[in-house]
Structures are given as C-alpha cells and as structure tokens.
Amino acid sequence: MSRRSGGLIGDWAEAQRRQQRTQLIQQREAERRQRAYERDVARGQREQQAAYRQHREAEARRQTELIEADAARLRGLLAAGCRAPAFRTAALVRSERLEPFDPGTLAHPVPMPQLQQFQQVQQQSGGWTLGSGRRAQAEREAHARYTQAWQAAHAAEAQRQRQLAEYRQQYDRWAAEQLAGIRQHNSGLTELARALRAGDSEAAVEYFSAALYSSTVWPEALPRQVAAAYDPAARQLVLDWELPAYGVVPEARSVQYLPSTDQDKTKPRPATERRALYRDLLAQCVLLVVRELYAADEFGVLDSVVVNGFVDCHDPVTGREAQFVLATVSAPRTAFAGLRLEQVSAVDCLVEGLHGQLSARPDQLTAVRPGRRPGEVGGVVSHGGHAGDDEDEPDLFVMDPIAFENLVAELFRAMGMEAVTTQRSGDGGVDVEALDPAPIRGGRIVVQVKRYRNTVPPTAVRDLYGTVQDAGANKGVLVTTSSFGPGSYTFANGKPLELVPGAQLVELLQQHGLRGRLGGGEVPAQRAAEPTPTLIATPNANPSPALPEDHNVLGMSWSGSVALDVCALVCEGNRVLSEDHFVFFNNPRTPEGSVRARAHAAPDKAALEVAFDGLPQAADRLVLVAAVDPEVNPDADLAGFTDAHVRLLGAAGEELDRLEVSDGRAGETALVLGSFRRRSNGDWNFVIGGKGYRGGLEDLLREYGVEVG
C-alpha cells in the first residue's frame, strides 16, 4: 500500500515539476517577446525622432536659403539691372492682330431631316406590312412627321443664320473699335517721339517717367514713386525717386533648429552688416535710375541727370509724414558713359566717381542736402504717389462718367491688355471691352463700371454674369467705387467673374501709375433722394447709435411650425468675442450696436440688422444659429426645419440676395445656419453651415466659448 501511495505522490510531483517548467518557459518566452517589442518600439521612436529632426533642420536650412537669396538680390541689384534690356517706345507699340472671329456652335448649320429616315422608322415599326390602305396611311404619317421636322429644322437654321449675322456684326464693331483704339495709341507714340526729338518738356517727363515706372529691373519689394521735370535749355532731367526703407534689408541672417528645445533659433544679422548693405543698396538704386534713363534715351535728349533719392516715413520729431533725402547725384552723360557699372562698388562710384552724396547713417534718416529739385524746374509729373497725396488725385466719386470709364480702360491697358470703351447706347451692359493676350488665363473680358457710393447689389453681379454668357466672353469684371456685399461674393464664387471694390481699384491705379482717390469731393445730388431707413427700437438700457445707411437686414424663414430662436454670434474664428457679442432674446444687440435683433415681417419668421462695416476689428465671422424654443415646443426637433433661407435685404427693405441654408435633422435641436466671413479685402461672404446639435442651444454655445449656466 505504501509503495502504491508513494507512486501516486511521485507521479503528482513529477506532473507539478513539468507544469512549472512549462510555465517558466512560457514566462521567459513572453519576456523575450516583450523585450523584442520594446526594442522595436524604441527603434521606431528613434527613427521617427531622427526623421522629425531632419525635417526641422531641412526647414531651417530652407528658411536660411530664402533669407540669403533676398540679401543676394539686394547686393546684386545694380548688376542684374545692367543686364536688362533698355526701354524703347517700340515696346509700347500694340499689335493690330486681333482675336479671330469664332462663332462657336453657330458656325455649324442645323442638319436637315431626310424623308428616308422617317420611312425607315415607319417600316421598322411594322407599318409597311399592313394592307394597302393602312400602308398609304402610314406613308402619309411618315411624310407629315418629316414635314414637321423639316419646318422645325428650317426655322432653327434661319434663327442660327440671324444669330450668326448679329454676332458677326458685334464682332466687326468690336474689331473696329479695337483697331481704332490700337491705331490711336500707336499714333500717340509717333507724336510722342516727334515731341521728344523737338525737346518738348512734357513729352520728355512723360516718356522717362514711364521708362522708370514700367521697368522690370526693380523687385516687387522696392518702391517706384517718381516726380520729374525736364529743363530743355540744359537738356537735363531732374527727378525725385523713392528709395526703399531700412526694413527691406533682412534682419535675420540664418535660422537654426535646436533639438534640445524643439524650437527654431533666428540668428540676427549683425547691425554693422545690415547698415552697410542698406547703404550699398541705396547707392545701387540711384546708379540704376541714372543707368535706366540714359539707356532709354533713344532720341538723344539728355546731357545730364539729377537724381534725389528719398524715403517717405514719419518724422520722429513731429510724427508727421515727411521726405528724407538720403542720396543725391548730378550725373553728366560724359562722366557716366565711361563707367562699367557691373564691376563698380556702388558706394564708391556714387560718392567718389560721380561726386554725389550718400547719407552716412541712412538707417537713422540722416539726410543730405538735395541737388536740384523738380519743383525748381517746373512741369512736374508724378507717378506711383501715396494715398496721402489726396489733393493731387481726382475724386472718382465726382469724376465725369465717361472719364471714369476711360480711366478704367486705361487701367486695363496699363496692365498689359487691349481695352476700349463701348458706345453709350446699344452696349448690352458693357462699358469696357478688354482682351488679355495671356495664352491660358487670357481671352475676351467684358467690364461693367458702377460709380456707386452704396454697396453694389447682387442683382448687378447676376446681370454681369448674363452679359458674359450672352457675349460669349471668357470673363466678366465689375468695377465700382463702393463695395460688394456677401451675396455678391457668394454668387460670383466659382463663376468667371471678378469683383473689384473701390479700395482695390485705387490700389490698382496707384500700382500702374494712374491717379484716383475715393472721397473728398462733392456728394452727387441724387444721394439726397435715397430713402433713409426707419430702425426698429430694441429694449436696452444703453441704446447704441443708429445704424449707418448701408446696413443690411437678414430675414430668415423656413417651412414647418416648430418655434425657433434665431441668434447671432460675433466671433474671431470659432470663439465669440464676448458673451455680450451673443445676440439673442435676452441680449438684443452687441455693445457697439453693429448687430441687433429687430421685429420681422412676412414672409420672414425672424430678422436681424447688421452693419458689416461696424463690426469690431477683431471679428472675422458672424455666425447665424437656430434652436428649438424649449418653452414652446419642449419635445420638438429640427426634422421639420426645411426650405430654409436667409434673405439679404438692403436698408430700405429691398431684397439683394437669397442665401440657402441646410435643412434640420431628426433628433437635433440646434443648428448652425451659416456664417458671414470677412475676406482679406474687408468684404464679407456667406458660407453655408449645417452642423447640428442634439443638446440644443447650450451645446452649440459651448463650442463657441459661451459659458452656459
């Protein structure tokens, strides 16, 4: 019995030992796999960190290369400018080759039907297998259908020929106007050359100013403002030329990535190096101006050139805008002709070679005594002036309408296009027609000009789109002295339309050497007849000033009987500016009064008043939201919220545009209808929303940073 018991215990003990060995082996294998996994993870992290570090280091090198490239362009300005071709009047000559007549689908005649086609159809339908009487009837039916189709095709062909003839007449008129404008322009160049040879002061100033202003040797970062006068007795051109400010020289020298802090470190350019580069740049600019003028003198009217280089900035003493002359030179042709500008040291050449003056500390606006000034000669012509020179700029608001259209046409020509104004009648809503010779983005452009003071309504943009389609143009451009509302930009989005508001128009005029400003002139008489809106009073302990005349009304409507609260949030990004900038039933207006609740009238179910120009500067979004009123419909959701839209109304109540918004969904009790977003030019466009919330207005508000108690 004892041996049997001992055998059982031994077997049990052996089984336990085998089990323990198995568990130990499994544990060691699991530990080995864990260590291998940890090694793989660590290796992956090291590789990822190495790749990240390489990326950051490469980005730092790229930024350094860009900085050095900018500095190199400034150092090599004079040498690069000397390689540029000289300005010639021949470059201004416009080709008389026009876009050929292309009628498109109108060139293809309407295909005429054939009797056999109708007989074959009748035969395939079994008409010829009937008796003789039925067969004759089938033949008559086939012939009747053929006759009807032939008459329709004949009428369509006649219509095509009429449209083709009309289109041809339109093209011929356009081509004649284009050629007349081109020939007038080219004739003017011939007259300009004749006047230059005769030593005419005005012609000389215009020609050489244009040579400088249209030159391609100046980088975009450098200014090109010039005021010039010509002394025919001395055969001398005297001009003031704007120099770049100290900030054009890169302040940084390099960028280095620091792995220890995971940050980029910018190494500054030494102050002495930066000042030396700026001083050298000013000398290069002055020498390059002289070089450009002598190179452009194809008629031999210059014996000497006087250049006063100045910067426009605020006087640190008075705080007023002032000009500081930092360089000046009087360069006779005989002295300048012997220079090899590609090889010279610009500072030494200007100061020692041409005996000019250069500020010792231009970065501190240490001025030099200027040479002869254009005002001492007379007949000064300026190009590229600043916005502050209002007294020298014509007011676009009071300019003669025809003169304004001519100015817009001249702007398109200055931008490298061919442009002519249309006849005052029968122009089909087109004020200017332009042709962009660019091979891809170019083509025929129709331009409408609106000399307005109030916001241009979206109906004008829609009319322009219809004109573009009717005229078969590649693009339509609407130019105005005022601005465009969100509805206009919404409609133009994705269409071959371009909207040019007044501020951008003035900027384009200045960029291309033309003149014009907004405001300062007499208000047209018809302005007094415009209706003044009656504002709805809103309960508030501190009433804000009346909204401006060009405010808008947002009228919201939808299908379904669910009771909704419509609210607005004035935001920067997706955060409301403050709780006071959340407009709802208990806060009927924003602190500055730019957004207000107002009583609505049919067909609207809710309404807001908005002065977009009066919104806070920090605001870039006006978000419209709707939520179920839990007191009226506690169990309702937005499933019945359909056919919703926002009517954009003018101050007098006229409908300017209709903005569609998303429908509601079952289970959701709050919805973002959409948002008006500020564009970079200051205008606003509408972006449809659609995000819903199941937790009602409270959930929605939390996402926009409103604390809900």
Side-chain angles (χ1 to χ4, degrees):
M1 293 293 294
S2 60
R3 284 197 300 273
R4 189 179 306 114
S5 301
L8 291 173
I9 293 174
D11 292 342
W12 176 82
E14 181 64 24
Q16 290 293 315
R17 283 194 294 272
R18 285 197 300 269
Q19 183 178 359
Q20 291 173 356
R21 283 197 299 270
T22 301
Q23 291 176 347
L24 180 61
I25 293 171
Q26 291 175 347
Q27 180 180 352
R28 290 175 178 174
E29 178 64 21
E31 292 174 351
R32 187 191 64 78
R33 287 197 298 268
Q34 179 64 25
R35 288 194 296 271
Y37 169 76
E38 291 174 351
R39 286 195 299 271
D40 291 342
V41 170
R43 186 186 305 110
Q45 290 177 343
R46 288 194 299 272
E47 292 174 352
Q48 187 177 22
Q49 291 172 353
Y52 175 75
R53 178 174 178 173
Q54 292 174 0
H55 168 73
R56 292 295 300 270
E57 290 174 344
E59 181 63 21
R61 287 194 299 270
R62 187 186 69 83
Q63 294 182 36
T64 300
E65 291 170 357
L66 292 176
I67 293 171
E68 278 306 309
D70 289 342
R73 277 191 290 269
L74 298 181
R75 293 189 188 98
L77 176 65
L78 181 59
C82 291
R83 295 191 293 268
F87 178 81
R88 290 291 182 268
T89 54
L92 301 177
V93 175
R94 296 175 182 167
S95 172
E96 293 189 3
R97 188 174 65 179
L98 300 179
E99 178 185 357
F101 177 66
D102 181 12
T105 57
L106 291 177
H108 307 293
V110 176
M112 291 296 172
Q114 301 296 322
L115 179 59
Q116 294 83 352
Q117 298 171 344
F118 293 86
Q119 292 174 338
Q120 291 172 359
V121 171
Q122 189 68 30
Q123 184 177 5
Q124 292 171 358
S125 63
W128 295 160
T129 62
L130 304 174
S132 59
R134 297 290 297 278
R135 180 174 181 177
Q137 177 65 21
E139 288 180 349
R140 288 193 296 272
E141 291 176 356
H143 194 278
R145 286 194 295 272
Y146 160 73
T147 302
Q148 184 179 8
W150 184 90
Q151 291 174 346
H154 184 73
E157 173 63 15
Q159 176 68 12
R160 182 194 71 85
Q161 292 180 2
R162 286 194 299 270
Q163 291 178 344
L164 180 62
E166 292 173 359
Y167 189 26
R168 181 72 204 197
Q169 291 176 357
Q170 293 175 4
Y171 173 83
D172 290 341
R173 288 196 300 269
W174 173 83
E177 293 170 356
Q178 291 276 14
L179 286 175
I182 292 171
R183 289 166 182 169
Q184 182 180 4
H185 169 81
N186 293 340
S187 176
L189 294 178
T190 303
E191 291 297 325
L192 175 63
R194 185 180 298 111
L196 280 170
R197 293 188 180 94
D200 181 78
S201 299
E202 184 177 349
V205 169
E206 286 291 348
Y207 173 74
F208 288 109
S209 297
L212 286 175
Y213 196 74
S214 62
S215 173
T216 59
V217 305
W218 304 98
E220 288 296 326
L222 301 189
R224 277 184 281 184
Q225 182 186 174
V226 59
Y230 179 70
D231 184 350
R235 293 168 55 86
Q236 183 181 72
L237 184 69
V238 181
L239 68 152
D240 291 344
W241 177 260
E242 185 177 6
L243 298 173
Y246 184 52
V248 76
V249 180
E251 185 176 358
R253 188 173 189 177
S254 63
V255 178
Q256 181 183 6
Y257 172 63
L258 302 179
S260 58
T261 60
D262 192 24
Q263 292 180 341
D264 288 335
K265 178 182 178 181
T266 300
K267 184 178 181 180
R269 190 176 300 275
T272 54
E273 178 186 338
R274 193 177 181 209
R275 286 195 293 265
L277 178 53
Y278 181 55
R279 195 164 183 260
D280 181 72
L281 174 63
L282 299 187
Q284 290 186 75
C285 288
V286 173
L287 293 175
L288 188 55
V289 168
V290 179
R291 184 264 176 192
E292 288 279 280
L293 293 173
Y294 280 133
D297 186 20
E298 59 181 308
F299 304 103
V301 299
L302 295 181
D303 285 344
S304 64
V305 172
V306 177
V307 179
N308 298 294
F310 68 92
V311 293
D312 259 347
C313 62
H314 290 92
D315 190 329
V317 177
T318 65
R320 299 176 63 86
E321 191 79 14
Q323 287 188 353
F324 294 85
V325 177
L326 302 181
T328 184
V329 69
S330 177
R333 180 187 286 272
T334 53
F336 196 80
L339 300 176
R340 297 184 60 185
L341 294 180
E342 301 92 335
Q343 307 296 329
V344 302
S345 163
V347 173
D348 294 338
C349 179
L350 178 67
V351 177
E352 302 295 336
L354 295 174
H355 307 291
Q357 297 183 62
L358 179 63
S359 172
R361 291 298 301 270
D363 57 301
Q364 296 183 2
L365 301 179
T366 302
V368 300
R369 183 183 297 276
R372 193 181 187 190
R373 305 299 293 270
E376 301 172 13
V377 180
V380 180
V381 174
S382 299
H383 290 276
H386 294 286
D389 303 328
D390 285 349
E391 64 276 6
D392 297 327
E393 302 286 336
D395 185 1
L396 302 181
F397 282 132
V398 299
M399 180 181 286
D400 177 81
I402 297 179
F404 183 50
E405 293 178 7
N406 290 332
L407 177 64
V408 173
E410 182 61 26
L411 172 61
F412 276 79
R413 289 193 286 268
M415 295 169 70
M417 306 181 201
E418 299 173 359
V420 295
T421 57
T422 62
Q423 299 293 327
R424 299 301 297 171
S425 61
D427 59 7
V430 178
D431 301 312
V432 176
E433 289 194 355
L435 180 64
D436 187 349
I440 297 177
R441 62 173 174 82
R444 184 185 176 199
I445 302 173
V446 295
V447 184
Q448 287 183 351
V449 176
K450 303 292 185 184
R451 198 159 55 92
Y452 286 2
R453 286 182 181 267
N454 292 331
T455 303
V456 176
T459 52
V461 184
R462 290 195 184 96
D463 292 343
L464 173 62
Y465 185 52
T467 301
V468 171
Q469 293 178 313
D470 293 341
N474 298 83
K475 180 192 285 188
V477 179
L478 186 53
V479 180
T480 183
T481 51
S482 59
S483 60
F484 300 92
S488 296
Y489 287 111
T490 300
F491 179 80
N493 185 33
K495 299 181 178 65
L497 301 176
E498 188 165 343
L499 309 181
V500 182
Q504 184 180 352
L505 172 61
V506 171
E507 182 179 352
L508 288 172
L509 291 173
Q510 293 176 353
Q511 288 178 2
H512 294 277
L514 301 173
R515 302 165 63 200
R517 60 185 170 90
L518 297 173
E522 180 183 354
V523 179
Q526 64 266 27
R527 180 70 183 274
E530 294 177 3
T532 302
T534 301
L535 300 182
I536 305 298
T538 57
N540 200 296
N542 298 304
S544 59
L547 286 171
E549 291 186 8
D550 57 351
H551 75 274
N552 293 102
V553 175
L554 306 179
M556 283 146 284
S557 62
W558 58 88
S559 298
S561 58
V562 60
L564 297 178
D565 291 326
V566 177
C567 315
L569 299 101
V570 181
C571 300
E572 181 179 9
N574 63 347
R575 307 295 290 181
V576 69
L577 294 185
S578 72
E579 291 192 5
D580 291 335
H581 286 88
F582 168 41
V583 177
F584 65 114
F585 49 87
N586 280 336
N587 182 43
R589 67 170 178 84
T590 56
E592 75 288 341
S594 59
V595 182
R596 312 183 190 201
R598 64 166 288 167
H600 64 273
D604 301 325
K605 295 184 177 181
L608 294 169
E609 290 175 336
V610 181
F612 286 98
D613 292 339
L615 287 167
Q617 187 64 33
D620 58 12
R621 295 188 187 183
L622 174 65
V623 183
L624 304 179
V625 304
V628 174
D629 187 339
E631 295 184 1
V632 180
N633 297 121
D635 300 323
D637 59 15
L638 292 175
F641 182 76
T642 59
D643 300 326
H645 62 267
V646 178
R647 293 198 308 144
L648 180 65
L649 309 176
E654 72 280 12
E655 183 171 334
L656 304 177
D657 201 359
R658 182 165 296 206
L659 312 173
E660 302 299 327
V661 300
S662 297
D663 292 341
R665 290 175 289 272
E668 296 176 352
T669 53
L671 174 70
V672 176
L673 302 177
S675 59
F676 292 90
R677 301 189 181 184
R678 192 194 299 266
R679 295 161 58 95
S680 58
N681 61 4
D683 290 315
W684 296 76
N685 66 331
F686 184 76
V687 178
I688 192 171
K691 185 174 182 179
Y693 299 81
R694 293 180 175 271
L697 188 58
E698 292 184 2
D699 275 2
L700 185 152
L701 293 177
R702 288 192 185 95
E703 188 163 317
Y704 285 89
V706 178
E707 294 296 331
V708 181

